[in-house]
Amino acid sequence: MPSVPSRHAFRPLRIGGLQAMTTLDYPDHLACVLFCQGCAWRCRYCHNPELIRCGGPTEWSWNKVLGFLRQRQGLLQAVVFSGGEATLQPALPSAMRRVRELGFKVGLHSAGIKPASFGRALAHCDWVGFDVKALEEDAALITGVSGSGQANWNSLELLLDSGVDYECRTTVHWDLFDCRRLQRLGERLAALGVRRFAVQLARPQQMLDGELGAAATPAQAAELWPYFAQLFERFELRAA
């Protein structure tokens, strides 16, 4: 008896925006980025707040995205699914399969908001940029959601066990982080075997929480570098 197609197979992926070309979002590859609509967390430094809602005014149809990708075959090497949080959409795995059928590698930017959904998408990835919000006990201060730290780190464990190539990255805003917390985070990641770790400062433009101050003062930036020096001993660290 033939299998019944999943009800999610015919639900198109909701795309809130598209970056046509980038050399930064998938290491050593020329890629485009699909910004998937919807996110269950409300990170206070979020600089894509227009993607938080499940629906948006600037959505691309999936057919339009496929048409764009067909025109870029032979030029682009990879397609990165970003967000929002792409793994919250049930249609993501089938979209990833379709992208691979067109000859592209598949990248994913994710914080692993729901580990089960993250795991299903992970099976179709060639590379993941994983967003480690903070140490597990500190994550809710950033995301505004209780239990987010446990979900974040459970998904990280899935990633580390998967064999998929990856980079961990943490966004730092000095109203929510300090250097010692960053050092402890780096030490824990190193103990888990993480070797590629990107540290990036929150961008003040369009942040969700207007009460947050500037991303860094000169004094705070100067304080950071001794801790970076220690982290360099353990990681292929880059300040993004």
Side-chain angles (χ1 to χ4, degrees):
M1 181 176 178
S3 61
V4 177
S6 165
R7 64 187 177 90
H8 298 314
F10 306 106
R11 183 181 300 176
L13 197 69
R14 298 187 306 276
I15 305 295
L18 185 151
Q19 183 175 352
M21 190 175 296
T22 173
T23 59
L24 301 176
D25 292 276
Y26 190 127
D28 303 318
H29 287 69
L30 191 61
C32 71
V33 182
L34 306 181
F35 293 96
C36 298
Q37 195 77 39
C39 186
W41 293 349
R42 296 181 63 83
C43 296
R44 295 173 62 190
Y45 51 64
C46 179
H47 57 266
N48 288 326
E50 70 281 1
L51 294 172
I52 292 176
R53 293 185 296 110
C54 289
T58 60
E59 288 191 31
W60 284 55
S61 72
W62 181 237
N63 284 336
K64 183 177 179 182
V65 170
L66 290 177
F68 168 84
L69 294 178
R70 291 188 186 100
Q71 293 175 353
R72 298 305 189 276
Q73 287 175 298
L75 173 62
L76 297 178
Q77 299 166 292
V79 176
V80 178
F81 293 85
S82 190
E85 175 57 56
T87 63
L88 296 181
Q89 295 198 43
L92 180 63
S94 61
M96 289 176 158
R97 288 193 296 269
R98 186 71 184 99
V99 163
R100 182 169 281 142
E101 289 170 359
L102 292 174
F104 300 102
K105 289 187 177 181
V106 175
L108 173 66
H109 293 169
S110 177
I113 287 179
K114 292 186 176 180
S117 298
F118 176 75
R120 286 191 289 271
L122 186 58
H124 303 284
C125 293
D126 298 295
W127 176 85
V128 175
F130 190 81
D131 187 4
V132 181
K133 293 299 180 182
L135 291 169
E136 186 174 318
E137 60 270 21
D138 296 329
L141 175 65
I142 294 170
T143 66
V145 176
S146 176
S148 55
Q150 182 177 357
N152 192 211
W153 284 82
N154 286 350
S155 290
L156 176 59
E157 290 181 8
L158 291 175
L159 174 61
L160 298 181
D161 290 341
S162 71
V164 175
D165 194 19
Y166 70 93
E167 173 183 270
C168 288
R169 63 270 299 272
T170 294
T171 300
V172 173
H173 191 293
W174 297 117
D175 284 355
L176 305 173
F177 241 101
D178 59 45
C179 292
R180 295 191 184 279
R181 280 194 176 95
L182 180 61
Q183 184 181 19
R184 290 197 299 270
L185 175 59
E187 289 170 349
R188 182 170 177 188
L189 292 174
L192 291 173
V194 173
R195 291 295 174 265
R196 297 193 67 190
F197 181 32
V199 178
Q200 53 198 14
L201 291 178
R203 292 183 288 180
Q205 300 88 356
Q206 294 183 303
M207 286 193 300
L208 184 63
D209 189 342
E211 295 183 1
L212 291 176
T217 67
Q220 288 167 326
E223 182 187 5
L224 177 64
W225 292 111
Y227 294 94
F228 270 8
Q230 295 178 35
L231 290 174
F232 266 117
E233 298 174 359
R234 304 181 183 207
F235 297 108
E236 299 173 28
L237 179 73
R238 65 178 178 87

